[in-house]
Amino acid sequence: MTSHSLASPRKRVSTNGKKAEAPTDDGRAAPRYAAIKQSIADAARGGQLKPGDRVPSESELVDQFGVSRMTANRALRELQASGIIVRRAGVGSFIAEPRPIGQMIEIRNIADEIRGRGHEYRARVVRNSEERATAETAPLLGVPVGTRLFHSLIIHHEAEFPIQLEERFVLASVAPDYARIDFTQMTPNEYLTRIAPLERVEHRVSAVMPDARTHAMLGLADSEPVLRMTRRTWSRGRLVSHAWLTHPGTRFELSAAFSVDD
């Protein structure tokens, strides 16, 4: 994938011969980092840069715009904070896709959500194993210590970007084949919905700073927060699943819509 060159913001020359900043609409000089931001944002809005396109690196911006590395870095950081670009450590910066919206009320399969947006879905299974409930995990499902559980950890990708880290504990007696399912072909949500029809769902959402493991698995930028949904599901009168669904805060939002009866 190639990066795109951007037109350098126009410069004016002061009477003493030194380069001045690009003028704003009111005639004042705009900071150079703001001019770079505007150039990239305009290219994204105008379609010259499309979602997924690589934008110039810090070094390339330094060469194209004749600015310091610090100025180029600030422009990229602020573009990321605005949701215009996403940055992947060791890979580069890219024009962001329109921010995906997850449904809080409907229990939808994340693979279907991603494909419904016209994007490729894939999953990487980090863990899917049987274990015994400990003093820490037993309360998650309201079971005695020593109860058989399944513990899965899966990274869901939208196009090339990790969009959700799913960590789930499941009551083994309700889903005895859970550890043998290929969750690159079927999501845990899809499997559990088939064998343990939902009766009740509980959601809780919070914005938190990620730990080192989450930071690495989701490819987060430094100091990037996450949206973490805690989801508990019941079937046939039993609490059967406890999951943490963690999303990059700058790449995802949650919404809910419902009708209210008179």
Side-chain angles (χ1 to χ4, degrees):
M1 186 180 295
T2 59
S3 63
H4 295 251
S5 294
L6 300 166
S8 178
R10 62 187 182 277
K11 300 169 184 168
R12 61 182 174 85
V13 179
S14 63
T15 54
N16 61 10
K18 295 182 180 179
K19 289 179 181 177
E21 306 295 346
T24 61
D25 290 340
D26 60 7
R28 292 179 300 173
R32 298 291 288 156
Y33 77 87
I36 297 173
K37 277 178 57 182
Q38 190 66 48
S39 179
I40 294 176
D42 286 347
R45 281 190 288 266
Q48 291 89 358
L49 288 175
K50 296 178 172 54
D53 281 351
R54 182 178 176 273
V55 302
S57 66
E58 283 183 22
S59 297
E60 290 166 335
L61 290 174
V62 168
D63 291 340
Q64 285 185 36
F65 292 95
V67 296
S68 68
R69 183 174 286 273
M70 183 180 299
T71 297
N73 178 269
R74 179 170 179 178
L76 291 174
R77 282 190 289 108
E78 295 200 6
L79 284 164
Q80 180 185 26
S82 317
I84 295 171
I85 68 170
V86 292
R87 304 179 74 183
R88 298 286 306 279
V91 179
S93 299
F94 303 86
I95 297 297
E97 296 281 351
R99 185 174 293 187
I101 299 176
Q103 298 295 322
M104 289 184 60
I105 294 179
E106 289 184 80
I107 305 300
R108 297 185 62 191
N109 179 13
I110 188 169
D112 291 340
E113 283 193 10
I114 290 172
R115 290 173 182 138
R117 292 192 283 266
H119 296 155
E120 181 183 356
Y121 165 79
R122 68 179 177 89
R124 180 164 73 89
V125 179
V126 179
R127 172 183 188 149
N128 185 19
S129 60
E130 180 181 331
E131 59 186 54
R132 297 286 175 172
T134 66
E136 289 74 32
T137 59
L140 299 178
L141 293 171
V143 295
V145 171
T147 301
R148 289 177 59 240
L149 305 177
F150 294 117
H151 180 193
S152 59
L153 187 64
I154 301 169
I155 305 172
H156 301 280
H157 290 74
E158 181 164 359
E160 62 182 287
F161 297 106
I163 194 67
Q164 182 189 94
L165 175 62
E166 173 186 342
E167 183 165 20
R168 187 183 295 266
F169 290 90
V170 176
L171 193 61
S173 60
V174 175
D177 295 325
Y178 189 89
R180 292 192 287 270
I181 301 299
D182 181 0
F183 286 129
T184 64
Q185 302 300 313
M186 174 189 299
T187 66
N189 172 280
E190 186 179 359
Y191 170 69
L192 290 172
T193 300
R194 288 183 183 179
I195 68 161
L198 292 175
E199 290 180 347
R200 177 186 168 197
V201 179
E202 178 185 282
H203 281 155
R204 186 172 70 254
V205 180
S206 57
V208 299
M209 295 305 298
D211 57 20
R213 181 188 70 168
T214 301
H215 186 279
M217 288 185 174
L218 288 178
L220 300 171
D222 291 342
S223 303
E224 182 176 0
V226 294
L227 283 176
R228 176 166 296 156
M229 175 188 288
T230 301
R231 175 183 290 170
R232 299 200 300 167
T233 57
W234 283 257
S235 181
R236 301 185 180 95
R238 304 179 71 180
L239 176 57
V240 300
S241 173
H242 181 111
W244 292 288
L245 310 175
T246 305
H247 309 85
T250 60
R251 288 182 243 150
F252 196 84
E253 65 184 58
L254 294 165
S255 72
F258 55 91
S259 299
V260 179
D261 294 332
D262 292 339

